Amino acid sequence: KRLSGETGLKEIIRNEVKGTDDAVRCLQMRGEYLYVAEGRAGFRAYDIASVANKGVSERILTGPFSQLGHDTQVKSTNATCMALATNQPINPAKNTPEMRSMNQEQPFHPIYDYAFVTDSVEGLILVAINTLADGEPRNNFLRRALTWNEGNILKGATHITLGGHYAYVAADAGVVVLDLNDPLKPRVMQVLPTKGARASALQFRYLWVTDEDGVKLFDITNARKIVPVPEATVPLSNARRIYIARTYAYVAAKQDGLVILNVTNPEKPTIYQKVTFGGLLNDAEDVIVGSTNASLFAYVADGRNGMKVLQLTSPASQPNYYGFSPAPKPELIAWAKTPSPALAMSKGLDRDRGVDETGGQMAVFGRLGSRPFNREEMERFYRNRSGFLYRVSDKPTFADWVPKKK
């Protein structure tokens, strides 16, 4: 049964209003916890294990055991964003030397031990969070593992994206690229030129960045020498957050609503559609795209208008919705007014992902020889023996197989 309108969404999900001490511009659910950057209140992890349990009076908790034995807040000056290396529930404690030897698996990278928090004044803050997943309730005290802002390079930091052990931080200086191979000793690799960077999104060999000019593209094939692609810039008057789903990019564009870009050729993007539903979607701040069963949905934080749900594909609207990347046909199916402006969305679960962008293993596979490819092995799929990218012209022809005369 399709439900629409504000009442419809409330029938689909039963929200509990939980006040925070300041505006939330980044949040991420993982396992039984919701990790939140709360501005002047810093960083906090909420226990949401009972969020769907109607028999529990308070279903979003800050101290599920006692205030004496549980403290998941790390105060900071102005926490603007946070990111986790994966949103899959993980347990590095199970990745023991014995298990790795038996199953030929890789050790977990130390980046999986932390939440990475940006603060517009203090820079980068690392918080060790695996204590929340060890089954021991008496050690749930979160503390800073690192506060880093060398040379004040992260002044004005507003957003962070992680790709393996590389971090892309939107700050006053531009997009600051950090190497976190040793998370407690960040190294600045490069500062990408932008005009008031707001957010970024990563897909395979490309990094998309939103700023005052719109959407910009950077080629990160070589993470140590990132190259701007200026001809791929898409001018937008107020681009905010961006989400990439296969061959389409979804941009929350404030008064322009949801702008969908066709990025089949990432270096030649085109505007596929601007979605406002006649002005109903006109304050878009953030967007997350995810699949439920066989359909694709966009969840939009529409600022002062609250939250909106868009069905992007369905048998009715898109008869050819099967395939790798069917064209989206957005339909507004539900919405709900929020007590304060809706500014951010939590990304859904990444399914069947066992390795990160730099080859770090994030799951225990549990069977002999089942580890994922590392970075060097992955690169063999798209680099030739000389280290260059494969191109269409690299396909061998019949002449390539004919022995050359001596």
Side-chain angles (χ1 to χ4, degrees), residues 6-47:
E6 184 173 350
T7 303
L9 183 58
K10 288 181 179 178
E11 289 293 332
I12 297 172
I13 58 174
R14 189 176 165 88
N15 284 325
E16 174 181 332
V17 176
K18 176 66 183 179
T20 56
D21 295 333
D22 199 359
V24 172
R25 296 188 179 275
C26 278
L27 70 164
Q28 180 59 60
M29 183 181 74
R30 187 172 83 179
E32 296 182 342
Y33 288 90
L34 178 69
Y35 301 91
V36 180
E38 290 188 16
R40 290 170 294 179
F43 168 82
R44 195 195 307 260
Y46 291 92
D47 188 309

Side-chain angles (χ1 to χ4, degrees), residues 42 96 103 253 282 321 336 364:
T96 62
N103 292 338
N282 60 16
Y321 75 111
V364 177

Side-chain angles (χ1 to χ4, degrees), residues 241-260:
R241 300 286 174 83
I242 180 172
Y243 193 96
I244 316 298
R246 297 192 173 176
T247 61
Y248 292 92
Y250 299 82
V251 185
K254 288 295 280 184
Q255 70 277 7
D256 291 330
L258 182 66
V259 178
I260 304 176

Side-chain angles (χ1 to χ4, degrees), residues 131-377:
T131 179
L132 299 179
D134 63 4
E136 171 53 76
R138 292 171 295 183
N139 65 1
N140 289 348
F141 296 88
L142 298 186
R143 298 287 184 268
R144 295 186 187 214
L146 175 72
T147 303
W148 184 91
N149 193 10
E150 187 175 285
N152 205 26
I153 193 168
L154 297 183
K155 177 179 178 293
T158 58
H159 189 265
I160 180 171
T161 295
L162 292 176
H165 61 73
Y166 291 104
Y168 306 89
V169 182
D172 290 351
V175 176
V176 182
V177 184
L178 300 176
D179 186 347
L180 300 172
N181 197 31
D182 182 344
L184 300 180
K185 296 180 181 178
R187 293 190 301 130
V188 178
M189 303 302 296
Q190 200 170 340
V191 178
L192 307 180
T194 59
K195 185 179 179 182
R198 293 167 177 165
S200 62
L202 184 67
Q203 187 189 66
F204 191 35
R205 298 192 298 108
Y206 295 98
L207 180 77
W208 281 265
V209 176
T210 58
D211 69 1
E212 294 176 14
D213 293 331
V215 179
K216 293 179 178 176
L217 182 67
F218 296 86
D219 186 329
I220 61 168
T221 304
N222 183 346
R224 297 179 177 276
K225 191 177 181 181
I226 297 173
V227 179
V229 188
E231 62 272 18
T233 298
V234 178
L236 292 174
S237 60
N238 207 347
R240 298 290 173 156
R241 300 286 174 83
I242 180 172
Y243 193 96
I244 316 298
R246 297 192 173 176
T247 61
Y248 292 92
Y250 299 82
V251 185
K254 288 295 280 184
Q255 70 277 7
D256 291 330
L258 182 66
V259 178
I260 304 176
L261 307 179
N262 186 327
V263 294
T264 303
N265 182 344
E267 298 186 7
K268 294 181 180 180
T270 59
I271 294 179
Y272 169 77
Q273 191 174 357
K274 290 186 177 181
V275 184
T276 66
F277 298 109
L280 292 177
L281 200 163
N282 60 16
D283 196 30
E285 291 276 0
D286 194 6
V287 57
I288 296 293
V289 173
S291 295
T292 301
N293 295 327
S295 293
L296 194 67
F297 296 87
Y299 302 90
V300 181
D302 194 22
R304 62 182 178 272
N305 302 312
M307 175 188 171
K308 288 186 170 66
V309 180
L310 282 60
Q311 185 160 358
L312 300 175
T313 62
S314 71
S317 68
Q318 171 53 292
N320 299 315
Y321 75 111
Y322 288 111
F324 174 74
S325 187
K329 305 293 182 183
E331 297 179 272
L332 179 60
I333 64 168
W335 66 90
K337 185 72 175 177
T338 50
S340 56
L343 303 177
M345 302 292 298
S346 172
K347 182 182 179 182
L349 181 65
D350 288 323
R351 292 186 58 193
D352 304 326
R353 189 179 189 218
V355 64
D356 63 31
E357 288 81 357
T358 48
Q361 181 172 339
M362 66 176 68
V364 177
F365 282 60
R367 57 186 185 273
L368 183 64
S370 59
R371 70 164 178 81
F373 291 126
N374 58 36
R375 178 62 184 242
E376 181 182 354
E377 291 166 336

